[in-house]
Amino acid sequence: MRQSVLLISFLASIPTALGLSVPPVPKEIDQRSLSRLSKCKSGTSARKVLSDTFSSSPNAALYESVSIPKGASELSISDADLAIQTNIRNAKYSVMELIELNGDKDADRISLALFCLFWGSSLSAIFAQQNMPGPEILRFTLVFLLTFAPLIFVGYGIATPDALQTILISLQRNLFPTYRKRMVHHEAGHFLLGHLLGFPIKDYQANAVKNAVEFYPLRDGDKGRERASLMGFDKRSDAEEEVESYYPEENMGADRPFFSEGGRADALIAQSVFRDAKNYTDNPFLKVAPRDDVSKSWPFRGFDHETLDQLTVVSVAGVCSEILGFGNAEGGFADLAQLRVLFSSADPELSEKDMENRIRFAIGFGMGQLRRNLGALDALVEAMENNASVEECVLAIETCDNVSGATVVGNYEKIRRTKIQREGVGFVERLLLGAGKNADTQDDSVIEGKGGGDKKQTFQLTGDDPFYAALGVAFLFYMYASLGGLSLH
């Protein structure tokens, strides 16, 4: 009987797998119930709204349809395993090399902006000095400002780096459509995988300077009341409901024994010289707001590994979406830096090797899930580009006719990536933003055929080779000048 059911399920899935035209089953979604999502104040109430919305639907909802097997992230993930999971094989670069982890791209663009400013201000100063009419003092002031414009740019960046970054991001968004499109795809990845894993989305911004998908805080005041209600306790009175659940940090632990759990001794122990570990919270951009910091909620014991697996997958979903759409990822630095902050609250604690392995597992798992839902991802990107509300974005995901995006014509993933990379991209934009590592770059340095597998020998300068090459060039130039090839008269 079980084999017959499996055979029927397999035969029913053949048309979808082949990309044949199958009339989609209309999804009945209670939009009236979904409209209450924007009024939710906590993750618990948002989950209840989404559960009520999709409970009456005869079709399976994508919301909370994905789960991570327990203990799967603890298995060691090799480079070959990750290449198979992400389907980036026989490529010149591994998937980890395609993710920008140190901000080099941003540094290169800031350098390019400074270079353009230097030449533009220098040429403008020369032109103003030679051709500008009017009083001498006015011409001198303008030339002075243009000459020192690069130094003003550098000084402004040192004094207010956040403001300079905001200006540069605004310029890139307005001048380069590809950059704006990349940011939308990045945030759509966070949105979709969070939705699949059952994390309700509170809000998002896809057309602002600082893009972000905002989830409901894990520090949920309604969770305790829900559990208390399930245990049979009476509901709190209206007066108690209005009491603020957050206590300032300086008052926490004042009414507890000094060395008890959550007492004031915890702060002194944390400052001990024996706990000099890496600190990823110095950057103000990466700090968690006090009202959203679950570690300030008593009794906090840390994140269990199952919760960390879900948070890790959601954190890397943005770079996974970028790789699927553009062949590389530029927005991974902030996501992984914030993920390190979560790892520091793991219970039990994680080693550096365990952290790296969980990130690799999350990238493979995240790309696999997004690849299975490419059609829903495209529908979400289109909705976010039109500044749709959170309810409209959820509706776009759930009512997508072709969730997988499967097509009978060629490799849909590659066709989609090529279309995204070329659509509306000019020569200047391709020159400035299109260069770099890409998943479609094939590795042609491997010897194939019988006895193959080794790398082809290529010319490389290593060690002291550049120094000896410079000496050789200098000697050749000296010989050329000595034989009369260069004259000072």
Side-chain angles (χ1 to χ4, degrees):
M1 179 67 180
R2 182 174 181 272
Q3 293 179 347
S4 301
V5 173
L6 293 176
L7 179 60
I8 293 173
S9 301
F10 171 74
L11 294 176
S13 64
I14 289 179
T16 304
L18 294 178
L20 300 179
S21 176
V22 179
V25 179
K27 295 185 179 180
E28 298 178 4
I29 295 178
D30 187 358
Q31 298 187 27
R32 184 178 179 181
S33 176
L34 184 62
S35 64
R36 296 187 285 115
L37 187 62
S38 60
K39 301 178 182 178
C40 295
K41 302 298 183 182
S42 66
T44 300
S45 58
R47 289 185 184 91
K48 188 176 185 308
V49 168
L50 291 174
S51 298
D52 295 343
T53 300
F54 301 123
S55 60
S56 59
S57 176
N59 307 98
L62 292 178
Y63 173 71
E64 210 173 4
S65 62
V66 173
S67 61
I68 302 175
K70 185 177 181 179
S73 62
E74 298 176 0
L75 302 176
S76 179
I77 307 294
S78 64
D79 292 339
D81 295 334
L82 190 60
I84 294 174
Q85 292 177 14
T86 58
N87 199 27
I88 300 178
R89 296 168 289 179
N90 302 323
K92 187 175 182 180
Y93 305 103
S94 65
V95 64
M96 299 304 295
E97 292 175 329
L98 297 174
I99 303 174
E100 184 66 39
L101 298 176
N102 49 16
D104 284 345
K105 277 280 188 180
D106 292 333
D108 292 341
R109 288 169 184 169
I110 292 176
S111 301
L112 179 62
L114 180 60
F115 177 79
C116 296
L117 178 62
F118 172 78
W119 279 103
S121 61
S122 299
L123 295 176
S124 299
I126 295 174
F127 179 81
Q129 177 66 26
Q130 298 293 332
N131 301 290
M132 181 179 175
E136 185 70 23
I137 184 62
L138 181 60
R139 182 165 60 250
F140 172 80
T141 303
L142 180 60
V143 171
F144 177 84
L145 292 175
L146 290 172
T147 303
F148 284 93
L151 296 179
I152 297 174
F153 177 84
V154 174
Y156 182 74
I158 295 175
T160 57
D162 293 338
L164 179 62
Q165 184 181 21
T166 300
I167 294 174
L168 292 177
I169 290 178
S170 300
L171 290 175
Q172 291 181 86
R173 288 186 63 88
N174 294 323
L175 296 177
F176 305 126
T178 299
Y179 187 81
R180 181 167 60 253
K181 190 188 305 182
R182 179 186 288 273
M183 296 179 76
V184 174
H185 277 262
H186 182 99
E187 301 306 328
H190 290 305
F191 194 117
L192 179 58
L193 261 185
H195 183 79
L196 294 176
L197 288 171
F199 288 100
I201 286 79
K202 183 178 182 180
D203 195 10
Y204 79 94
Q205 293 182 352
N207 288 312
V209 174
K210 291 185 178 179
N211 287 17
V213 171
E214 182 182 0
F215 295 90
Y216 286 92
L218 294 177
R219 181 182 180 180
D220 193 343
D222 290 340
K223 178 62 70 175
R225 288 193 289 270
E226 181 187 35
R227 291 177 178 175
S229 177
L230 292 175
M231 294 173 65
F233 291 97
D234 294 334
K235 293 184 178 181
R236 300 170 63 186
S237 62
D238 295 338
E240 291 175 330
E241 290 286 348
E242 297 177 357
V243 176
E244 183 66 32
S245 62
Y246 170 69
Y247 295 93
E249 184 177 356
E250 60 269 15
N251 295 331
M252 294 189 65
D255 57 344
R256 304 190 188 101
F258 188 78
F259 286 105
S260 67
E261 180 70 26
R264 286 175 293 171
D266 286 350
L268 298 178
I269 294 175
Q271 297 173 3
S272 171
V273 295
F274 298 104
R275 294 174 176 263
D276 188 17
K278 286 186 177 180
N279 185 5
Y280 293 95
T281 60
D282 289 338
N283 191 339
F285 181 75
L286 303 178
K287 285 186 177 180
V288 180
R291 62 182 178 83
D292 297 337
D293 191 355
V294 292
S295 63
K296 297 296 187 293
S297 299
W298 186 88
F300 177 70
R301 297 292 187 272
F303 293 111
D304 60 87
H305 289 181
E306 288 75 19
T307 302
L308 271 182
D309 287 342
Q310 293 179 323
L311 296 176
T312 305
V313 170
V314 174
S315 296
V316 303
V319 297
C320 294
S321 179
E322 281 191 61
I323 293 175
L324 289 174
F326 298 89
N328 52 35
E330 298 181 4
F333 175 73
D335 291 336
L336 295 182
Q338 291 179 336
L339 185 58
R340 293 281 182 175
V341 178
L342 299 178
F343 281 153
S344 64
S345 300
D347 184 25
E349 295 183 0
L350 295 173
S351 64
E352 187 69 24
K353 183 178 180 181
D354 292 335
M355 296 179 190
E356 295 295 335
N357 192 73
R358 287 178 184 274
I359 292 175
R360 295 165 70 88
F361 166 80
I363 291 174
F365 184 87
M367 287 193 66
Q369 294 300 325
L370 290 179
R371 186 177 286 111
R372 291 181 58 189
N373 298 275
L374 277 180
L377 180 62
D378 290 338
L380 177 60
V381 168
E382 184 179 357
M384 294 176 71
E385 286 179 340
N386 295 326
N387 293 324
S389 63
V390 174
E391 295 88 342
E392 292 172 338
C393 290
V394 171
L395 200 61
I397 294 173
E398 296 293 343
T399 58
C400 179
D401 294 335
N402 187 4
V403 174
S404 65
T407 176
V408 74
V409 182
N411 185 346
Y412 175 70
E413 179 184 340
K414 193 169 184 179
I415 295 174
R416 172 181 178 270
R417 182 159 58 239
T418 303
K419 180 182 178 182
I420 292 174
Q421 290 175 343
R422 295 181 179 179
E423 194 173 35
V425 181
F427 172 76
V428 177
E429 187 174 1
R430 188 178 293 110
L431 178 64
L432 296 178
L433 302 182
K437 302 174 182 178
N438 196 282
D440 295 327
T441 305
Q442 296 295 318
D443 188 2
D444 56 357
S445 63
V446 179
I447 301 175
E448 300 179 357
K450 186 177 181 181
D454 295 331
K455 295 284 185 178
K456 296 179 181 179
Q457 295 295 329
T458 57
F459 177 76
Q460 293 180 343
L461 292 176
T462 59
D464 295 333
D465 293 343
F467 174 72
Y468 295 130
L471 286 180
V473 172
F475 178 75
L476 292 176
F477 180 77
Y478 172 75
M479 294 299 296
Y480 171 75
S482 301
L483 296 176
L486 183 64
S487 177
L488 299 179
H489 301 286

